Amino acid sequence: MRTTIKLFALTACLAMIAACASTGAPATASPSIAASSATTPASAAPTASPIAAPTSLLKPGELSNCVDIEYSPMEFFAPADPTKPVGFDVESYQAVVKKLGLTEKIVNTAFDGLIPALQAGRCDIVWTALYINDTRLKVADAVPYFKSSHQVMVPAGNPKAIQSALDLCGKTISIQSGGLVQEASKAASDACVAAGKAAIKVQGYPKVPDELQQIVIGRVDAVWETDTAVADFRLKNPGKYDIAFTVPGDFKYGIYFGKGKADVGTALTAALKALKDDGTLAGLATKYNLDPANLDVIQ
Amino acid sequence: MNFDPQVFVDALTSEGYRNGALVAIGLTAVSQLTAVGIGLVLAVMRESSLAVLRAASWTYVWVFRAIPTLVQLLFFWNALPQLIPGLVRAEWYNAFVAAWIALSINEGAYMAEIVRGGLLSIDEGQRLAARALGMKPASVYRRVILPQLIRVIIPPTANEFITMLKITSLAAAISLGELLTYTQQSISTTFKFAEYYAAAAVWYLVIVSIFMAVQSQLERRFRWTSQGRRAGLIGGLTGLGGR
């Protein structure tokens, strides 16, 4: 599957920095570079001194963050105050900003415009549950902060007995269009056709709520989404939906920043590490019904 | 300058763009034609001597012009099946049909006003004169009012047609992908903005050019002549009228 190949490529990149550099990508393209360079100043100064704030910020003293605020539980507007962004990403970001002694600025940005905003210099970082993948790494750098996987969610009791991707052949599913799931579901559908079965009828929706509404009204047999979104939806609809299976393969959410801005990557990594070690991030994960073990990707 | 001509050409000739364009043109055509029909009926109702018909027409225009098009699309796709469970799994009720219904109903309200404006532009004396000649009310409409009406409403209707072409991109919200959806999805995986948007712009220019050619053809058919051409509504649209 194409997605798997991409993952392998990414893993290979992470494992062998030299390999990445030799393929022409600047060394800073690899998240592991940012991670490893972060440990250097830390080991040079073993005292728990405050983490140095990045110097290449668009506006000195402010870490601006472009967020697509409509992905509960990662980023969404507080129901009690529809002008206040909350969620795991948002509150982790606020903790990092505090740790770095900077001021916060959240810019609500549509999904399609997130990476372009980084390229155009409208934001210092994009921290909004974006997977780390090679196409994005070509135009931006990232540090990982949370592990994630895809799940296929079905109505309670799994009436169509869906256990694996092949069971989806001939069934109708809804997904969010334009993301990794689109590629993965297309590959799964191609596998159905290759096995002589009917293709998967995939309905792509730009917005997650519209995607999830399809299983509510019963138009689709299953929803293929990230584990974070599925957990949130099941929490809000207790007992109504089950997880049919978890799609093999792990993904990492990353904080993206401008290409080559190693100082931003270094500061983010150091701050994430400190907040992971003192339990702040685990507390936020628990607060939003996420598994703190997924924070292991922070190193 | 950072513009890759090869990416642009590949996008322009890709199957995705062609399919997207076909969806956009098809949805525009069926929705706008249905809307013209709805608009004609509503405008005639608005002139009716029956108060209930006038009120119904006014209410329709009020409601469907007020509610945003996107909300109507989402309503017909996501909310209506909640109210009418039979629609959920109905094979015929796919995203295209839902978009067709929603866009037609929405656009019908605008067309009603355009047709009403056309009717207002035809002097009352025409109707009276036709009646005085002994024509039945239905004949008056078909032979006197409609040929003049069509001539007047062609330019604003062509405007609506072109607007509708762009409105079809809203149907992405209900999983119906057309030209712009495909463009944005391509960009979200390649980040080649200039190339893909330029390719989409070329496609839109071509499509609108075709619409404009059809418009000028229609205008030629309904051009005013005092030669007593016997092309009625059907004849005018199909070119089958006696010349």
Side-chain angles (χ1 to χ4, degrees), chain B residues 22-34:
Chain B
L22 283 178
V23 170
I25 295 170
L27 185 58
T28 304
V30 296
S31 304
Q32 189 65 39
L33 289 177
T34 313

Side-chain angles (χ1 to χ4, degrees), chain A residues 112 115-116 135-136 139 177-178 182 204-206 210 213-214 217-221, chain B residues 74 76-79 81-82 88-89 93 172-175 184-185 188-189 191 193:
Chain A
D112 292 335
I115 297 290
T135 43
R136 289 180 186 140
V139 293
S177 50
Q182 184 161 337
Y205 292 84
D210 291 331
Q213 171 73 0
Q214 305 313 315
I217 61 177
R219 180 175 279 136
V220 298
D221 301 305
Chain B
L74 289 170
F76 276 96
W77 186 241
N78 286 340
Q82 211 169 313
V88 174
R89 286 286 179 155
Y93 197 70
I174 62 168
S175 82
Q184 281 166 336
Q185 282 180 7
S188 76
T189 52
F191 304 108
F193 278 78

